[in-house]
Amino acid sequence: MEISQFMGQQEHEAIENLQDKKAGPPHEALSLISAYLPLFELLAMSGVCTSLRDAVNKDVLSWLDIVVKSPLNLRLSDEILMKITSKANGRLTTLALMDCAKITDDGLQRVVERNPLIYKLYLPGCTGLTPEGVIGAVKTLSEHHHGLKSLMINGIYNINKEHLETLRPYLEKNLSQQEQSGSWPLLFHEHRDVPTFRHDKGYTTIDVEVCPKCDEVRMVFDCPRRTCKRKIGRSMSDCRGCNFCIPRCQECGGCVDDSEEVEEAVCADTLCSDCWLQLPKCDFCNKPYCKQHAHNGSCPPGSTGFVCDVCCANFNI
């Protein structure tokens, strides 16, 4: 009994001491790292306590580059976007909205009007936007001799050649600089892993162009396989086209034509023969996963390989 009373008294004194102490300001190191934190972590930190919320919200440098991606993109609306971008106090430089389907033309226009310093505008997969809304936003950002350096609009519906020609003059200065330094090839597998790589490095200014095969405005990929020219006796430009015109290997990004046997992965992605041979296979169906979906397989006890989810369902493993 004496021990329990002593422990209770110690706990009571500890609680009183904590209540007497007032929460101080966050450590000074917070200002050094907050600018490098993703948006999800910044918003989570703002909800920890009042002192952290005030510190993060008042640090303008943390909000100059807004990148919204999964899982926040599913919930982002025009009103939420306005609240987030307002923390930059009109000094926003990068706005990347990755697959944010709820953003509308009006919401985007209000943001760019309040943030005229944006020079990177990434809007891939924002299906709530229209080509006219994108053109209006680009025009607004191009006023007062401010140049938009990078634009991503792949996945926005109904963009045609006329829209692309309307956008090009606003990026003409940057396009001419790119042509002087030489273009950087767009490879399918590199874009899949890091969609903004070419734009962040300044290798390109707009992510779509007219496909030489189908004459539609889409992302046009280059072929990384140097053997194409030697094997078929054609120029590398023959392997250049959108993903609808030229099937590509999910692993290496190389073109897969009619003369080559197309291999299929468990996840239904296309693979070339070379990549198919190198990937681990399911113990039952002898099909591989591409590396992007390799986590879907399960490893049964006592096995050094894996069993795909399809075989697990079929054989009740």
Side-chain angles (χ1 to χ4, degrees):
M1 181 65 69
E2 293 180 356
I3 295 178
S4 61
Q5 290 178 351
F6 174 77
M7 294 296 294
Q9 183 179 358
Q10 292 292 101
E11 291 179 2
H12 181 71
E13 292 178 356
I15 293 174
E16 287 184 345
N17 291 334
L18 288 175
Q19 292 176 346
D20 292 338
K21 292 181 179 180
K22 294 183 179 179
H27 196 278
E28 295 177 356
L30 178 65
S31 60
L32 300 177
I33 65 171
S34 58
Y36 299 95
L37 292 176
L39 179 62
F40 186 86
E41 278 73 11
L42 279 176
L43 296 176
M45 187 181 296
S46 300
V48 172
C49 62
T50 304
S51 58
L52 273 178
R53 181 196 63 194
D54 295 340
V56 171
N57 290 343
K58 292 177 182 178
D59 186 10
V60 177
L61 293 177
S62 302
W63 305 96
L64 297 184
D65 300 299
I66 301 297
V67 180
V68 183
K69 53 186 178 181
S70 180
L72 296 179
N73 58 343
L74 301 177
R75 300 182 179 181
L76 189 71
S77 62
D78 292 343
E79 292 73 19
I80 297 175
L81 180 62
M82 277 298 301
K83 291 179 181 179
I84 294 176
T85 55
S86 64
K87 299 179 187 297
N89 294 335
R91 296 165 56 186
L92 187 66
T93 58
T94 300
L95 180 61
L97 307 178
M98 318 302 283
D99 300 308
C100 298
K102 294 183 179 180
I103 300 301
T104 66
D105 292 344
D106 292 338
L108 178 63
Q109 186 64 29
R110 289 199 300 268
V111 171
V112 299
E113 287 175 355
R114 290 165 174 77
N115 296 274
L117 300 180
I118 295 175
Y119 67 90
K120 290 182 180 181
L121 185 61
Y122 300 160
L123 308 168
C126 293
T127 54
L129 297 175
T130 65
E132 292 74 20
V134 174
I135 292 173
V138 172
K139 285 182 178 180
T140 301
L141 292 175
S142 301
E143 295 176 354
H144 309 297
H145 305 286
H146 174 68
L148 184 65
K149 296 182 179 180
S150 187
L151 178 66
M152 293 180 66
I153 54 176
N154 179 55
I156 296 177
Y157 296 143
N158 302 321
I159 294 181
N160 55 38
K161 290 188 286 186
E162 289 72 21
H163 296 135
L164 189 60
E165 291 302 318
T166 303
L167 289 169
R168 284 191 182 279
Y170 299 102
L171 303 166
E172 188 174 4
K173 179 180 179 181
N174 299 291
L175 283 173
S176 62
Q177 292 175 350
Q178 176 195 351
E179 290 171 356
Q180 292 175 3
S181 60
S183 60
W184 186 270
L186 174 59
L187 304 181
F188 176 77
H189 61 299
E190 291 183 353
H191 171 75
R192 178 202 62 204
D193 297 335
V194 187
T196 62
F197 173 77
R198 292 203 314 158
H199 293 264
D200 293 339
K201 296 296 183 181
Y203 295 141
T204 187
T205 55
I206 190 167
D207 62 337
V208 295
E209 58 181 290
V210 179
C211 175
K213 303 291 184 182
C214 63
D215 206 37
E216 296 290 337
V217 177
R218 290 169 177 158
M219 295 195 71
V220 177
F221 297 101
D222 297 278
C223 185
R225 300 172 63 177
R226 297 297 179 185
T227 56
C228 286
K229 186 176 181 180
R230 296 195 300 268
K231 180 177 67 176
I232 308 176
R234 62 186 181 185
S235 65
M236 294 300 291
S237 60
D238 289 339
C239 297
R240 195 169 185 271
C242 69
N243 203 34
F244 292 92
C245 296
I246 301 179
R248 298 194 179 276
C249 173
Q250 188 72 15
E251 289 298 304
C252 68
C255 63
V256 181
D257 56 26
D258 297 334
S259 63
E260 181 178 359
E261 184 178 356
V262 179
E263 305 291 351
E264 186 174 328
V266 180
C267 48
D269 288 325
T270 300
L271 296 172
C272 67
S273 299
D274 293 338
C275 292
W276 188 90
L277 289 172
Q278 296 175 17
L279 292 171
K281 311 295 189 299
C282 171
D283 292 344
F284 283 79
C285 65
N286 198 37
K287 288 184 178 181
Y289 278 111
C290 68
K291 293 179 181 177
Q292 187 178 8
H293 301 106
H295 62 277
N296 291 336
S298 59
C299 182
S303 173
T304 57
F306 73 91
V307 178
C308 67
D309 54 348
V310 176
C311 291
C312 285
N314 293 336
F315 298 101
N316 296 321
I317 298 176

